Amino acid sequence: MSPNMVLLITAGVLIAAGIYLLLERSLTRILVGVVLTSNGVNLLFLVASGPALGAPIIGVNEPDRMSDPLPQAMVLTAIVITLGTAAFMLTMAYRSFQLNGHDEAQDDVEDNRIRRLAEADLASQSYDEGDEGSMPDEDDDHDTEGDPSVVQDSEYAAETPRTTQTPQSAENEEEART
C-alpha cells in the first residue's frame, strides 16, 4: 500500500469512529466523537493537498516545487475551531454532571411527543384530512374579521393595558402609598 492509501484508510476509520461516538447519549463520548471526526477531516485535507514539497516562500523554492499553503491554513483553522468546540462541549458536560450527576443528553419534550405520535401512527390535530393536497397560496387574502380564534390588533390593544413606568413614576407611587 502507498502511504496515501494508508492515510486515507486512517482518515476513514477516524471519521467512522467519530460519527459512531457522535450518536451516543453521553456528552463525553460526543466530545471524543467531535475530536475524532475533526482529526479525520484534517487528515483528509492534508492527503488531498498532495505530496509535501518545499516551503511556500517566494525566492526560497521554485514555484513548481512549493507546497500549496491553502490546505495547511484550512487545517490550522479547523484545529482552532475544534479546540473551541471541545472546550464548549467539555464545559457543557461538566455543568450537566454538576446539575444531574451524569453527562447524558436529555430528550426534548416535543421530540418525545412527536415520537409517540409516529409510533401510534396518528395525525396531529392540525392535519385536516379534507384538505389533502390543497395548500393555501401566499397571495390569498384571508378574511379573519368573523373568526373568533384570531385576535384583531384593535381588540388586543384594548384588552392589554399599557404599563410603561419610568423609575421616577414608580418612586412617586411608593411615596403616595406611604
Side-chain angles (χ1 to χ4, degrees):
M1 276 198 221
S2 67
N4 286 340
M5 192 56 139
V6 171
L7 291 176
L8 285 173
I9 292 172
T10 304
V13 168
L14 285 173
I15 292 172
I19 290 177
Y20 175 77
L21 289 173
L22 279 173
L23 299 175
E24 295 290 327
R25 307 274 306 171
S26 172
L27 290 176
T28 307
R29 289 183 181 178
I30 293 172
L31 171 65
V32 173
V34 166
V35 171
L36 284 177
T37 303
S38 174
N39 287 338
V41 170
N42 290 344
L43 190 56
L44 279 179
F45 271 127
L46 292 177
V47 169
S49 70
L53 299 174
I57 301 172
I58 297 175
V60 175
N61 294 316
E62 296 177 25
D64 60 340
R65 300 295 305 157
M66 288 184 193
S67 293
D68 187 10
L70 184 61
Q72 296 171 8
M74 290 175 69
V75 167
L76 185 60
T77 303
I79 290 170
V80 172
I81 291 170
T82 301
L83 178 68
T85 304
F88 177 70
M89 297 257 328
L90 197 57
T91 304
M92 281 188 357
Y94 179 69
R95 185 66 178 159
S96 176
F97 185 78
Q98 279 184 331
L99 293 175
N100 303 323
H102 56 81
D103 68 338
E104 289 187 4
Q106 300 295 320
D107 278 339
D108 188 24
V109 175
E110 185 69 18
D111 288 343
N112 285 337
R113 188 179 71 77
I114 291 172
R115 186 182 314 120
R116 282 193 307 265
L117 282 174
E119 287 172 354
D121 198 26
L122 298 174
S124 67
Q125 293 175 351
S126 64
Y127 177 71
D128 188 11
E129 291 182 26
D131 288 340
E132 202 169 311
S134 65
M135 296 293 292
D137 293 333
E138 291 179 10
D139 298 333
D140 288 348
D141 291 332
H142 298 289
D143 186 22
T144 57
E145 285 185 30
D147 190 359
S149 64
V150 177
V151 177
Q152 302 295 328
D153 290 335
S154 59
E155 292 176 21
Y156 181 74
E159 291 176 4
T160 55
R162 298 184 188 249
T163 57
T164 54
Q165 288 185 344
T166 62
Q168 294 170 347
S169 63
E171 289 176 8
N172 292 342
E173 284 183 22
E174 286 183 26
E175 288 176 8
R177 289 182 195 155
T178 58

